[in-house]
Amino acid sequence: MAGARVSLTHGIQLPVQSQSTLYAEAWEAGAGPADLVAVAQAADRAGFGYLACCDHVAVPRRLAPAMGTVWYDPVATLAHLAAVTERVRLLSHVAVVGLRHPLLTAKQYATLDRLSGGRLILGVGAGHVREEFEAVGAEFERRGAVLDETIDALRSALGPAEYPEHHGKRYDFADLGQLPRPAQRHVPLWVGGSSPAAVRRAALKADGWLPQGDPRGRLPGQLARIRRLREEAALDGEFTVGAITEALYVGDPGWDVGPRTLTGAPEEIAGSLREYPAMGVDQIQVRFRSRSRTELIDQIGAFGAAVAPLLTD
């Protein structure tokens, strides 16, 4: 929007740690921890706002051809990367918290926040793999209701009190001390997902929303619904709206990056991405096409140096 003030931060979903056929590049199949560290450090140097890591405990054989079975644990992965980065924030995108008791989730993520010096953003979602829930004895059919209560329980269990307290239908705890507390007095909690239930949950129970697969054209309607829900509930606190962009390639790729990849000079890419804050988006999650770790790191550096400065006035 010409002349409008723009303020847009950006983060990145890490490669290697999840390898769904929907987005993993061919080189990731042979990659490992050293590659994760190198990419995380590149994003940290380039001024990215966060690194994101997915969550699946186990993938059933019927879904493995599409999802793959490579899914690094988000707490262990983000804690490892916290030790080798300096300022970039650490996002679970998303933690399927219904698979675990909220006190267990709180212990893990409170420790991560303490160890990282307060860099955690806790992204949560309902999950979608029935067998995964059944294997760990969690409720699949009522996972939405479980997530709603789990968010309430986590608000308490990740707060400043040494002895958090929650009394709900599924979880009931008090007089159980959990130290260390998070370094942040308030851990940001974002909800991921684009279903009507997920959008409502984000609007009414979270500090932010990350859609899952919404194209640009659908975002204005989703954001209008979030605004309406929050206004009706008289919620006026800080709320972060996210979006996942198209795949990007800064410059001329010189190879087939696919028809839905946004390419070109930094000014062209920035001009397109500035449509997001015009809709009301605060932060974007980006992904780059690449044929190697080196090419991905080069893309991260080019975006940070030449595109990102054009996204914020």
Side-chain angles (χ1 to χ4, degrees), residues 17-261:
Q17 54 84 34
S18 71
Q19 295 188 30
S20 166
T21 58
L22 295 176
Y23 50 74
E25 301 286 5
W27 66 268
E28 295 178 50
D35 303 283
L36 264 175
V37 167
V39 171
Q41 290 176 328
D44 196 32
R45 289 193 304 270
F48 278 59
Y50 65 77
L51 309 170
C53 189
C54 304
D55 181 26
H56 276 291
V57 170
V59 176
R61 195 179 298 273
R62 70 178 177 88
L63 296 177
M67 291 179 62
T69 57
V70 177
W71 295 85
Y72 285 43
D73 177 76
V75 178
T77 303
L78 293 174
H80 181 64
L81 298 177
V84 296
T85 56
E86 295 181 358
R87 43 135 247 108
V88 68
R89 301 202 73 172
L90 310 162
L91 169 66
S92 58
H93 181 222
V94 290
V96 185
V97 292
L99 296 173
R100 307 165 182 90
H101 191 285
L103 284 178
L104 174 58
T105 298
K107 169 58 73 174
Q108 293 174 316
Y109 282 100
T111 303
L112 171 58
D113 193 62
R114 174 63 63 175
L115 290 173
S116 68
R119 290 193 273 153
L120 172 66
I121 303 170
L122 181 59
V124 302
H128 65 95
V129 180
R130 176 184 293 274
E131 292 94 329
E132 192 171 35
F133 279 74
E134 293 173 346
V136 301
E139 294 184 73
F140 180 76
E141 295 294 348
R142 294 187 55 77
R143 64 194 184 280
V146 171
L147 177 55
D148 285 338
E149 184 178 334
T150 298
I151 290 173
D152 294 337
L154 287 172
R155 289 291 199 192
S156 174
L158 287 171
E162 180 180 352
Y163 292 89
E165 186 170 342
H166 172 79
H167 304 288
K169 292 182 179 179
R170 292 167 181 82
Y171 305 115
D172 190 288
F173 53 84
D175 301 319
L176 293 167
Q178 280 195 328
L179 293 180
R181 305 313 301 148
Q184 299 176 89
R185 188 168 181 84
H186 178 84
V187 173
L189 191 150
W190 295 353
V191 164
S194 293
S195 69
V199 171
R200 181 178 182 83
R201 183 175 296 119
L204 300 181
K205 302 182 77 68
D207 303 306
W209 175 61
L210 261 179
Q212 190 67 42
D214 276 322
R216 293 194 195 194
R218 193 178 177 211
L219 284 173
Q222 296 277 56
L223 299 187
R225 181 166 182 249
I226 288 175
R227 286 192 295 270
R228 184 175 67 253
L229 287 167
R230 290 180 63 80
E231 288 170 2
E232 291 171 352
L235 297 172
D236 57 1
E238 185 175 334
F239 189 85
T240 300
V241 172
I244 299 176
T245 73
E246 306 87 345
L248 308 177
Y249 195 96
V250 183
D252 179 6
W255 57 286
D256 183 9
V257 293
R260 294 184 178 87
T261 300

